[in-house]
Amino acid sequence: MNAIKISKDKIILELTKEELGVLSNALNEVCNGIEVWEFDTRMGIKIEGAQKMLDFLISIYTQAD
């Protein structure tokens, strides 16, 4: 994993497919392991937003095949 660019509001990372898989798996566990009523309090994002992120990461991961 490499940080390509870091600014105040945006960070660009370079990941291997394996690293992307680890992040996707971790987000999947979070999306499915935390009670919905406390999700945004604990994660700082609504569950719908986290699910969108997860769907995007999975899409990118499968494109790397």
Side-chain angles (χ1 to χ4, degrees):
M1 181 182 320
N2 294 311
I4 303 300
K5 183 177 180 183
I6 302 172
S7 64
K8 182 180 177 186
D9 297 324
K10 186 182 245 182
I11 299 169
I12 299 173
L13 299 174
E14 178 181 69
L15 305 170
T16 66
K17 184 174 181 182
E18 181 180 356
E19 291 166 335
L20 180 60
V22 170
L23 290 176
S24 295
N25 290 342
L27 187 54
N28 183 58
E29 290 299 317
V30 167
C31 285
N32 294 297
I34 296 177
E35 297 289 332
V36 174
W37 65 269
E38 64 179 347
F39 191 91
D40 57 340
T41 301
R42 293 182 66 189
M43 296 305 299
I45 188 173
K46 293 194 180 297
I47 195 163
E48 297 84 7
Q51 188 63 52
K52 277 185 168 181
M53 288 174 55
L54 177 58
D55 293 343
F56 178 74
L57 293 177
I58 291 169
S59 170
I60 297 298
Y61 184 87
T62 57
Q63 289 178 36
D65 285 339

